[in-house]
Coordinates of all heavy atoms in Angstrom, one line a residue:
M1 N 32.8 -20.8 -23.7 CA 33.6 -20.6 -22.5 C 32.8 -20.6 -21.3 O 31.8 -19.9 -21.2 CB 34.3 -19.2 -22.7 CG 35.3 -18.9 -21.7 SD 36.3 -17.5 -22.3 CE 36.5 -16.6 -20.9
S2 N 33.2 -21.4 -20.3 CA 32.4 -21.5 -19.1 C 33.0 -20.6 -18.0 O 34.2 -20.3 -18.0 CB 32.4 -22.9 -18.5 OG 33.7 -23.3 -18.1
R3 N 32.2 -20.1 -17.2 CA 32.6 -19.2 -16.1 C 32.8 -20.0 -14.8 O 32.1 -21.0 -14.5 CB 31.5 -18.2 -15.9 CG 31.9 -17.1 -15.0 CD 30.8 -16.0 -15.0 NE 31.1 -15.2 -13.9 CZ 30.2 -14.5 -13.3 NH1 29.0 -14.5 -13.6 NH2 30.6 -13.7 -12.3
E4 N 33.9 -19.6 -14.1 CA 34.1 -20.3 -12.8 C 32.9 -20.1 -11.9 O 32.3 -19.0 -11.8 CB 35.3 -19.6 -12.1 CG 36.6 -19.9 -12.8 CD 37.3 -21.1 -12.1 OE1 37.1 -21.3 -11.0 OE2 38.1 -21.7 -12.9
P5 N 32.6 -21.2 -11.2 CA 31.5 -21.0 -10.2 C 31.9 -20.0 -9.1 O 33.0 -20.0 -8.7 CB 31.3 -22.4 -9.6 CG 32.2 -23.3 -10.4 CD 33.1 -22.5 -11.2
E6 N 31.0 -19.3 -8.7 CA 31.3 -18.2 -7.7 C 31.2 -18.7 -6.3 O 30.3 -19.5 -5.9 CB 30.3 -17.1 -7.9 CG 30.6 -15.9 -7.0 CD 29.7 -14.7 -7.2 OE1 28.5 -14.9 -7.0 OE2 30.2 -13.7 -7.6
V7 N 32.2 -18.4 -5.5 CA 32.2 -18.6 -4.1 C 32.2 -17.3 -3.4 O 33.0 -16.4 -3.7 CB 33.5 -19.4 -3.6 CG1 33.5 -19.6 -2.1 CG2 33.5 -20.8 -4.3
V8 N 31.4 -17.1 -2.4 CA 31.3 -15.8 -1.7 C 31.6 -16.1 -0.2 O 31.0 -17.0 0.4 CB 29.9 -15.2 -1.8 CG1 29.8 -13.9 -1.0 CG2 29.6 -14.9 -3.3
I9 N 32.5 -15.4 0.4 CA 32.9 -15.5 1.8 C 32.5 -14.2 2.5 O 32.9 -13.1 2.1 CB 34.4 -15.8 2.0 CG1 34.8 -17.1 1.3 CG2 34.7 -15.9 3.5 CD1 36.2 -17.4 1.3
T10 N 31.6 -14.3 3.5 CA 31.1 -13.2 4.2 C 31.6 -13.2 5.6 O 31.4 -14.2 6.3 CB 29.5 -13.2 4.2 OG1 29.1 -13.2 2.8 CG2 29.0 -11.9 4.8
A11 N 32.2 -12.1 6.1 CA 32.6 -12.0 7.5 C 31.4 -11.6 8.2 O 31.0 -10.4 8.2 CB 33.8 -11.0 7.6
Y12 N 30.8 -12.5 8.9 CA 29.6 -12.2 9.7 C 29.9 -11.4 10.9 O 30.8 -11.8 11.7 CB 28.9 -13.5 10.1 CG 27.5 -13.4 10.5 CD1 26.5 -13.3 9.6 CD2 27.1 -13.3 11.8 CE1 25.1 -13.1 10.0 CE2 25.8 -13.2 12.2 CZ 24.8 -13.1 11.3 OH 23.5 -13.0 11.7
P13 N 29.2 -10.3 11.2 CA 29.5 -9.4 12.3 C 29.5 -10.2 13.6 O 28.6 -10.9 13.9 CB 28.4 -8.4 12.3 CG 27.9 -8.4 10.9 CD 28.1 -9.8 10.4
D14 N 30.6 -10.1 14.4 CA 30.7 -10.8 15.7 C 30.6 -12.3 15.6 O 30.2 -12.9 16.6 CB 29.7 -10.2 16.7 CG 29.9 -8.7 16.9 OD1 31.0 -8.2 16.7 OD2 28.9 -8.1 17.2
G15 N 30.9 -12.9 14.4 CA 30.7 -14.3 14.2 C 31.6 -14.9 13.2 O 32.7 -14.3 12.9
P16 N 31.2 -16.0 12.6 CA 32.1 -16.7 11.7 C 32.2 -16.1 10.3 O 31.5 -15.1 10.0 CB 31.4 -18.1 11.6 CG 29.9 -17.7 11.7 CD 29.9 -16.6 12.7
Y17 N 33.0 -16.8 9.4 CA 33.0 -16.5 8.0 C 32.0 -17.5 7.4 O 32.1 -18.7 7.6 CB 34.4 -16.8 7.4 CG 35.5 -15.9 7.8 CD1 36.5 -16.3 8.6 CD2 35.4 -14.6 7.4 CE1 37.5 -15.4 9.0 CE2 36.4 -13.7 7.7 CZ 37.5 -14.1 8.5 OH 38.4 -13.2 8.9
L18 N 31.0 -17.0 6.7 CA 30.1 -17.8 6.0 C 30.6 -18.0 4.6 O 30.9 -17.0 3.9 CB 28.7 -17.1 6.0 CG 28.1 -16.9 7.3 CD1 26.7 -16.3 7.2 CD2 28.0 -18.2 8.1
V19 N 30.7 -19.3 4.1 CA 31.2 -19.6 2.8 C 30.0 -20.2 2.0 O 29.4 -21.2 2.4 CB 32.3 -20.7 2.9 CG1 32.8 -20.9 1.5 CG2 33.4 -20.2 3.8
R20 N 29.7 -19.5 0.9 CA 28.6 -19.9 0.1 C 29.0 -20.2 -1.3 O 29.9 -19.5 -1.8 CB 27.5 -18.8 0.0 CG 26.9 -18.5 1.4 CD 25.8 -17.5 1.2 NE 25.0 -17.3 2.4 CZ 25.3 -16.3 3.2 NH1 26.2 -15.4 3.0 NH2 24.6 -16.1 4.3
G21 N 28.4 -21.1 -2.0 CA 28.6 -21.3 -3.4 C 29.3 -22.6 -3.7 O 29.2 -23.6 -2.9
A22 N 30.0 -22.7 -4.8 CA 30.7 -24.0 -5.2 C 32.1 -24.1 -4.6 O 33.0 -24.2 -5.4 CB 30.7 -24.0 -6.7
Y23 N 32.2 -24.0 -3.3 CA 33.5 -24.1 -2.7 C 34.0 -25.5 -2.6 O 33.2 -26.5 -2.7 CB 33.4 -23.5 -1.2 CG 32.4 -24.3 -0.4 CD1 32.8 -25.4 0.3 CD2 31.1 -23.9 -0.2 CE1 32.0 -26.1 1.1 CE2 30.2 -24.6 0.6 CZ 30.7 -25.7 1.2 OH 29.8 -26.4 2.0
R24 N 35.3 -25.7 -2.3 CA 35.9 -26.9 -1.9 C 36.7 -26.6 -0.7 O 37.4 -25.6 -0.7 CB 36.9 -27.4 -3.0 CG 36.2 -28.0 -4.2 CD 37.3 -28.5 -5.2 NE 38.3 -29.4 -4.6 CZ 39.6 -29.2 -4.7 NH1 40.1 -28.3 -5.4 NH2 40.4 -30.1 -4.1
I25 N 36.7 -27.5 0.3 CA 37.5 -27.3 1.5 C 38.4 -28.5 1.6 O 37.9 -29.6 1.5 CB 36.7 -27.1 2.8 CG1 35.9 -25.8 2.6 CG2 37.5 -27.0 4.0 CD1 35.0 -25.4 3.8
V26 N 39.7 -28.3 1.8 CA 40.6 -29.4 1.9 C 41.4 -29.3 3.2 O 41.5 -28.3 3.9 CB 41.7 -29.4 0.7 CG1 41.0 -29.6 -0.6 CG2 42.5 -28.1 0.8
D27 N 41.9 -30.5 3.7 CA 42.6 -30.5 5.0 C 44.1 -30.1 4.6 O 44.4 -29.8 3.5 CB 42.5 -31.9 5.7 CG 43.2 -33.0 4.9 OD1 43.9 -32.8 4.0 OD2 42.8 -34.2 5.2
E28 N 45.0 -30.2 5.7 CA 46.4 -29.8 5.5 C 47.1 -30.6 4.5 O 48.2 -30.2 4.0 CB 47.1 -29.7 6.8 CG 47.2 -31.1 7.5 CD 46.0 -31.3 8.4 OE1 44.9 -30.7 8.3 OE2 46.1 -32.2 9.3
D29 N 46.6 -31.8 4.2 CA 47.3 -32.7 3.2 C 46.6 -32.5 1.8 O 47.0 -33.3 0.9 CB 47.2 -34.1 3.6 CG 47.9 -34.4 4.9 OD1 49.0 -33.8 5.1 OD2 47.4 -35.1 5.8
G30 N 45.7 -31.7 1.7 CA 45.1 -31.5 0.4 C 43.9 -32.4 0.1 O 43.3 -32.4 -1.0
N31 N 43.5 -33.2 1.1 CA 42.4 -34.1 0.9 C 41.1 -33.3 1.1 O 40.9 -32.6 2.1 CB 42.4 -35.2 2.0 CG 43.7 -36.1 1.8 OD1 44.1 -36.5 0.7 ND2 44.4 -36.2 3.0
E32 N 40.2 -33.5 0.2 CA 39.0 -32.8 0.2 C 38.1 -33.3 1.4 O 37.9 -34.5 1.6 CB 38.2 -32.9 -1.1 CG 37.0 -32.0 -1.2 CD 36.5 -31.8 -2.6 OE1 37.3 -32.1 -3.6 OE2 35.4 -31.3 -2.8
I33 N 37.5 -32.3 2.1 CA 36.6 -32.6 3.1 C 35.2 -32.6 2.5 O 34.8 -31.5 2.0 CB 36.7 -31.6 4.3 CG1 38.0 -31.6 4.9 CG2 35.6 -31.8 5.3 CD1 38.3 -30.5 5.9
G34 N 34.6 -33.7 2.3 CA 33.3 -33.8 1.6 C 32.2 -33.2 2.4 O 31.9 -33.5 3.5
L35 N 31.6 -32.2 1.8 CA 30.5 -31.5 2.4 C 29.3 -31.4 1.4 O 29.6 -31.3 0.2 CB 30.9 -30.1 2.8 CG 31.9 -30.0 3.9 CD1 32.4 -28.5 4.0 CD2 31.4 -30.5 5.2
T36 N 28.1 -31.5 1.9 CA 27.0 -31.4 1.0 C 26.2 -30.1 1.1 O 25.3 -29.9 0.3 CB 26.0 -32.6 1.2 OG1 25.6 -32.6 2.6 CG2 26.7 -34.0 0.9
R37 N 26.6 -29.4 2.1 CA 25.9 -28.1 2.3 C 26.4 -27.0 1.3 O 27.5 -27.0 1.0 CB 26.2 -27.6 3.7 CG 25.6 -28.4 4.8 CD 26.0 -27.8 6.1 NE 25.3 -28.6 7.2 CZ 25.4 -28.2 8.4 NH1 26.0 -27.1 8.7 NH2 24.8 -28.9 9.3
R38 N 25.5 -26.2 0.9 CA 25.8 -25.0 0.1 C 26.4 -23.9 0.8 O 27.1 -23.0 0.3 CB 24.6 -24.5 -0.7 CG 24.1 -25.5 -1.7 CD 24.9 -25.6 -3.0 NE 24.9 -24.3 -3.7 CZ 25.7 -24.0 -4.7 NH1 26.6 -24.8 -5.1 NH2 25.6 -22.8 -5.3
T39 N 26.2 -23.9 2.2 CA 26.8 -22.8 3.0 C 27.4 -23.5 4.3 O 26.8 -24.4 4.8 CB 25.6 -21.8 3.5 OG1 25.0 -21.3 2.3 CG2 26.2 -20.7 4.3
V40 N 28.6 -23.0 4.6 CA 29.2 -23.5 5.8 C 29.7 -22.3 6.6 O 30.0 -21.2 6.0 CB 30.4 -24.5 5.6 CG1 29.9 -25.8 5.1 CG2 31.5 -23.9 4.8
A41 N 29.9 -22.4 7.9 CA 30.4 -21.4 8.8 C 31.8 -21.8 9.3 O 31.9 -22.8 9.9 CB 29.4 -21.1 9.9
L42 N 32.8 -21.0 9.0 CA 34.1 -21.2 9.5 C 34.4 -20.4 10.7 O 34.2 -19.1 10.7 CB 35.2 -21.0 8.4 CG 35.1 -21.8 7.2 CD1 36.1 -21.4 6.1 CD2 35.2 -23.3 7.5
C43 N 35.0 -21.0 11.8 CA 35.3 -20.2 13.0 C 36.3 -19.1 12.7 O 37.3 -19.3 12.1 CB 35.8 -21.2 14.1 SG 36.3 -20.4 15.6
R44 N 36.0 -18.0 13.3 CA 36.8 -16.8 13.2 C 37.3 -16.4 14.6 O 38.3 -15.6 14.7 CB 36.1 -15.6 12.5 CG 36.9 -14.4 12.4 CD 36.3 -13.5 11.3 NE 35.0 -13.1 11.6 CZ 34.5 -11.9 11.3 NH1 35.3 -11.0 10.7 NH2 33.3 -11.5 11.5
C45 N 36.6 -16.9 15.6 CA 37.0 -16.4 17.0 C 38.1 -17.3 17.6 O 38.7 -16.9 18.6 CB 35.8 -16.5 17.9 SG 35.2 -18.1 18.4
G46 N 38.3 -18.5 17.1 CA 39.3 -19.4 17.6 C 38.9 -20.2 18.8 O 39.6 -21.0 19.4
R47 N 37.6 -20.1 19.2 CA 37.1 -20.9 20.4 C 36.3 -22.1 20.1 O 35.8 -22.7 21.0 CB 36.4 -19.9 21.3 CG 37.3 -18.8 21.8 CD 36.6 -18.0 22.9 NE 37.6 -17.1 23.5 CZ 37.9 -15.9 23.0 NH1 37.3 -15.4 21.9 NH2 38.7 -15.1 23.6
S48 N 36.0 -22.4 18.8 CA 35.2 -23.5 18.5 C 35.8 -24.8 18.9 O 37.0 -25.0 18.8 CB 35.0 -23.5 16.9 OG 34.3 -24.7 16.6
G49 N 35.0 -25.7 19.4 CA 35.5 -27.1 19.7 C 35.4 -28.0 18.5 O 35.8 -29.2 18.7
Q50 N 35.0 -27.5 17.4 CA 34.9 -28.3 16.1 C 35.6 -27.6 15.0 O 35.1 -27.6 13.9 CB 33.5 -28.5 15.8 CG 32.7 -29.2 16.9 CD 31.2 -29.4 16.5 OE1 30.7 -28.8 15.6 NE2 30.6 -30.3 17.2
K51 N 36.8 -27.0 15.2 CA 37.5 -26.3 14.1 C 37.7 -27.2 12.9 O 38.0 -28.3 13.1 CB 38.8 -25.7 14.7 CG 38.6 -24.7 15.7 CD 40.0 -24.1 16.1 CE 39.9 -23.2 17.3 NZ 40.1 -23.9 18.6
P52 N 37.6 -26.7 11.7 CA 37.4 -25.3 11.4 C 36.0 -24.7 11.4 O 35.8 -23.6 11.1 CB 38.0 -25.2 10.0 CG 37.6 -26.5 9.4 CD 37.7 -27.5 10.5
W53 N 35.1 -25.5 11.8 CA 33.7 -25.1 11.8 C 33.3 -24.3 13.0 O 33.8 -24.5 14.1 CB 32.7 -26.4 11.7 CG 33.3 -27.4 10.8 CD1 33.6 -28.7 11.2 CD2 33.6 -27.3 9.4 NE1 34.1 -29.3 10.1 CE2 34.1 -28.5 9.0 CE3 33.5 -26.3 8.5 CZ2 34.5 -28.8 7.7 CZ3 33.9 -26.5 7.2 CH2 34.3 -27.7 6.8
C54 N 32.4 -23.4 12.8 CA 31.8 -22.6 13.9 C 30.8 -23.5 14.7 O 30.0 -24.2 14.1 CB 31.1 -21.4 13.3 SG 30.1 -20.5 14.5
D55 N 31.0 -23.5 16.0 CA 30.0 -24.3 16.8 C 29.2 -23.3 17.7 O 28.7 -23.7 18.7 CB 30.7 -25.4 17.6 CG 31.6 -24.8 18.7 OD1 31.7 -23.6 18.8 OD2 32.2 -25.6 19.4
S56 N 29.2 -22.1 17.4 CA 28.5 -21.0 18.1 C 29.2 -20.6 19.4 O 28.6 -19.9 20.2 CB 27.1 -21.3 18.4 OG 26.4 -21.5 17.1
S57 N 30.4 -21.1 19.7 CA 31.1 -20.7 20.9 C 31.4 -19.2 20.9 O 31.6 -18.6 22.0 CB 32.5 -21.5 21.0 OG 32.2 -22.8 21.2
H58 N 31.4 -18.6 19.8 CA 31.7 -17.1 19.7 C 30.6 -16.4 20.5 O 30.9 -15.3 21.1 CB 31.7 -16.6 18.3 CG 30.5 -16.8 17.5 ND1 30.2 -18.0 16.8 CD2 29.4 -16.0 17.4 CE1 29.0 -17.9 16.2 NE2 28.5 -16.7 16.6
K59 N 29.4 -16.9 20.6 CA 28.4 -16.2 21.4 C 28.7 -16.3 22.9 O 28.5 -15.3 23.6 CB 27.0 -16.9 21.1 CG 26.5 -16.7 19.7 CD 25.2 -17.4 19.4 CE 24.8 -17.3 18.0 NZ 23.6 -18.2 17.7
L60 N 29.1 -17.4 23.3 CA 29.4 -17.6 24.8 C 30.6 -16.7 25.2 O 30.7 -16.3 26.3 CB 29.6 -19.0 25.1 CG 28.5 -20.0 24.9 CD1 28.9 -21.4 25.1 CD2 27.3 -19.6 25.8
S61 N 31.6 -16.6 24.3 CA 32.8 -15.8 24.6 C 32.6 -14.3 24.3 O 33.6 -13.6 24.5 CB 34.0 -16.4 23.8 OG 33.8 -16.2 22.4
N62 N 31.5 -13.9 23.8 CA 31.2 -12.5 23.5 C 32.2 -11.9 22.5 O 32.7 -10.8 22.6 CB 31.2 -11.7 24.8 CG 30.4 -10.4 24.7 OD1 29.5 -10.4 23.9 ND2 30.8 -9.4 25.5
F63 N 32.5 -12.8 21.5 CA 33.5 -12.4 20.5 C 33.0 -11.1 19.7 O 31.8 -11.1 19.4 CB 33.6 -13.5 19.5 CG 34.5 -13.2 18.3 CD1 35.8 -13.0 18.4 CD2 33.9 -13.3 17.0 CE1 36.6 -12.7 17.3 CE2 34.7 -13.0 15.9 CZ 36.1 -12.8 16.1
R64 N 33.8 -10.2 19.5 CA 33.5 -8.9 18.8 C 34.5 -8.7 17.7 O 35.7 -8.8 17.9 CB 33.4 -7.7 19.8 CG 32.4 -7.8 20.8 CD 31.0 -7.6 20.2 NE 29.9 -7.7 21.1 CZ 29.1 -8.7 21.2 NH1 29.2 -9.7 20.3 NH2 28.1 -8.8 22.0
T65 N 33.9 -8.2 16.6 CA 34.8 -7.8 15.5 C 34.7 -6.3 15.3 O 33.8 -5.7 15.8 CB 34.3 -8.5 14.2 OG1 32.9 -8.2 14.0 CG2 34.5 -10.0 14.3
P66 N 35.7 -5.8 14.7 CA 35.7 -4.3 14.4 C 34.5 -4.0 13.5 O 34.0 -4.9 12.8 CB 37.0 -4.0 13.6 CG 37.8 -5.2 13.8 CD 36.9 -6.4 14.1
A67 N 34.0 -2.8 13.6 CA 32.8 -2.4 12.8 C 33.0 -2.7 11.3 O 32.2 -3.3 10.7 CB 32.4 -1.0 13.1
K68 N 34.1 -2.2 10.8 CA 34.4 -2.4 9.4 C 36.0 -2.4 9.3 O 36.6 -1.7 10.0 CB 33.9 -1.3 8.5 CG 32.4 -1.3 8.4 CD 32.0 -1.8 7.0 CE 30.5 -1.8 6.9 NZ 30.0 -2.4 5.7
T69 N 36.5 -3.3 8.4 CA 37.9 -3.3 8.1 C 38.2 -2.3 7.0 O 37.7 -2.6 5.9 CB 38.4 -4.7 7.8 OG1 38.0 -5.6 8.9 CG2 39.9 -4.7 7.6
P70 N 38.9 -1.2 7.2 CA 39.3 -0.3 6.1 C 40.1 -1.0 5.1 O 41.0 -1.8 5.5 CB 40.0 0.8 6.8 CG 40.3 0.4 8.2 CD 39.5 -0.8 8.5
R71 N 39.9 -0.8 3.8 CA 40.6 -1.5 2.8 C 42.1 -1.2 2.9 O 42.9 -2.0 2.5 CB 40.1 -1.1 1.4 CG 38.8 -1.8 1.1 CD 38.4 -1.5 -0.4 NE 39.4 -2.1 -1.3 CZ 39.4 -3.4 -1.7 NH1 38.6 -4.2 -1.1 NH2 40.3 -3.8 -2.5
S72 N 42.4 0.0 3.3 CA 43.8 0.4 3.4 C 44.6 -0.4 4.4 O 45.8 -0.4 4.3 CB 44.0 1.9 3.7 OG 43.4 2.2 4.9
S73 N 44.0 -1.1 5.4 CA 44.7 -1.8 6.4 C 44.9 -3.3 6.0 O 45.5 -4.0 6.7 CB 43.9 -1.8 7.7 OG 42.7 -2.5 7.6
L74 N 44.4 -3.7 4.8 CA 44.5 -5.1 4.4 C 46.0 -5.3 4.0 O 46.6 -4.4 3.4 CB 43.6 -5.4 3.2 CG 42.1 -5.3 3.5 CD1 41.3 -5.5 2.3 CD2 41.7 -6.4 4.6
P75 N 46.5 -6.5 4.3 CA 47.9 -6.8 3.9 C 48.0 -6.9 2.4 O 47.1 -7.3 1.7 CB 48.2 -8.1 4.6 CG 46.9 -8.7 4.8 CD 45.9 -7.6 5.0
H76 N 49.2 -6.6 1.9 CA 49.5 -6.7 0.5 C 50.6 -7.7 0.3 O 51.4 -8.0 1.3 CB 50.0 -5.4 -0.1 CG 48.8 -4.4 -0.3 ND1 48.3 -3.7 0.7 CD2 48.1 -4.1 -1.4 CE1 47.3 -3.0 0.3 NE2 47.2 -3.2 -1.0
K77 N 50.8 -8.3 -0.8 CA 51.9 -9.2 -1.1 C 53.2 -8.4 -0.9 O 53.3 -7.3 -1.4 CB 51.7 -9.6 -2.6 CG 52.6 -10.8 -3.0 CD 52.2 -11.2 -4.4 CE 53.0 -12.4 -4.8 NZ 52.6 -12.9 -6.1
K78 N 54.1 -9.0 -0.2 CA 55.3 -8.3 0.2 C 56.1 -7.7 -1.0 O 56.6 -6.6 -0.9 CB 56.3 -9.3 1.0 CG 55.7 -9.6 2.3 CD 56.7 -10.4 3.1 CE 56.1 -10.5 4.5 NZ 56.6 -11.6 5.2
D79 N 56.2 -8.4 -2.1 CA 57.0 -7.8 -3.2 C 56.1 -7.0 -4.2 O 56.6 -6.6 -5.2 CB 57.7 -8.9 -4.0 CG 56.8 -10.0 -4.5 OD1 55.6 -10.0 -4.1 OD2 57.3 -10.8 -5.3
D80 N 54.9 -6.8 -3.8 CA 54.0 -6.1 -4.7 C 53.0 -5.2 -3.8 O 51.8 -5.6 -3.7 CB 53.2 -7.0 -5.6 CG 52.3 -6.3 -6.6 OD1 52.5 -5.1 -6.8 OD2 51.5 -7.0 -7.2
P81 N 53.6 -4.2 -3.2 CA 52.7 -3.4 -2.3 C 51.5 -2.8 -3.0 O 50.5 -2.4 -2.3 CB 53.7 -2.3 -1.8 CG 54.9 -2.3 -2.6 CD 54.9 -3.7 -3.3
G82 N 51.5 -2.7 -4.3 CA 50.4 -2.1 -5.0 C 49.4 -3.2 -5.5 O 48.5 -2.9 -6.1
G83 N 49.8 -4.5 -5.1 CA 48.9 -5.6 -5.6 C 47.6 -5.7 -4.9 O 47.2 -4.8 -4.1
R84 N 46.9 -6.8 -5.1 CA 45.6 -6.9 -4.6 C 45.7 -7.2 -3.1 O 46.4 -8.0 -2.6 CB 44.9 -8.1 -5.2 CG 44.6 -7.8 -6.7 CD 44.1 -9.1 -7.4 NE 42.9 -9.5 -6.8 CZ 42.3 -10.6 -7.1 NH1 42.8 -11.4 -8.0 NH2 41.1 -11.0 -6.5
P85 N 44.9 -6.4 -2.3 CA 44.8 -6.6 -0.9 C 44.5 -8.0 -0.5 O 43.7 -8.7 -1.1 CB 43.8 -5.6 -0.4 CG 43.5 -4.7 -1.5 CD 43.9 -5.4 -2.8
G86 N 45.1 -8.5 0.6 CA 44.7 -9.8 1.2 C 45.5 -10.9 0.6 O 45.4 -12.0 1.1
L87 N 46.3 -10.7 -0.4 CA 47.2 -11.7 -1.0 C 48.6 -11.6 -0.4 O 49.2 -10.6 -0.6 CB 47.2 -11.6 -2.5 CG 45.9 -11.7 -3.2 CD1 46.0 -11.5 -4.7 CD2 45.2 -13.1 -2.9
L88 N 49.0 -12.6 0.3 CA 50.3 -12.5 1.0 C 51.3 -13.4 0.2 O 51.0 -14.3 -0.5 CB 50.3 -13.0 2.4 CG 49.3 -12.1 3.3 CD1 49.3 -12.7 4.7 CD2 49.8 -10.7 3.4
Ligands
FES101 S1 33.2 -18.0 15.1 FE1 31.7 -19.3 15.9 S2 32.7 -20.6 17.2 FE2 34.3 -19.3 16.5

């Protein structure tokens, strides 16, 4: 039995989401965006000129994130309020 390759997404403080591991990124039509890097940075501030990638515009705009997101504030699936956080 093989194990799924692990993908780790890290919310970088005051910056992008860093995606590491055996990820796949697809466009809105489901076409895979071919990448050779093991780590990519996805824009979280909304100001990148190269979305979905981070182009460091967050630094110029002084983007700030909350210190920590409390688990209790994460959204739950509407029909399963006791379900896993973050699944809508
Ligand atoms: S998070 Fe870096 S440009 Fe948006």
Side-chain angles (χ1 to χ4, degrees):
M1 184 165 143
S2 67
R3 188 171 167 207
E4 289 268 330
E6 184 176 60
V7 175
V8 177
I9 300 173
T10 305
Y12 196 81
D14 302 331
Y17 291 112
L18 298 181
V19 183
R20 296 183 174 98
Y23 62 83
R24 283 181 55 230
I25 296 180
V26 298
D27 66 15
E28 61 272 18
D29 297 320
N31 300 311
E32 189 162 346
I33 299 171
L35 295 171
T36 56
R37 295 179 175 189
R38 293 281 297 166
T39 302
V40 292
L42 298 177
C43 178
R44 182 160 61 144
C45 74
R47 295 188 173 88
S48 173
Q50 301 177 344
K51 293 182 189 95
W53 319 119
C54 170
D55 69 357
S56 297
S57 294
H58 61 272
K59 292 177 185 172
L60 296 174
S61 64
N62 206 26
F63 176 66
R64 293 288 178 253
T65 55
K68 290 258 183 185
T69 303
R71 285 191 62 80
S72 61
S73 71
L74 295 175
H76 288 78
K77 195 173 181 180
K78 287 186 178 155
D79 58 350
D80 185 13
R84 294 174 59 190
L87 300 177
L88 300 176

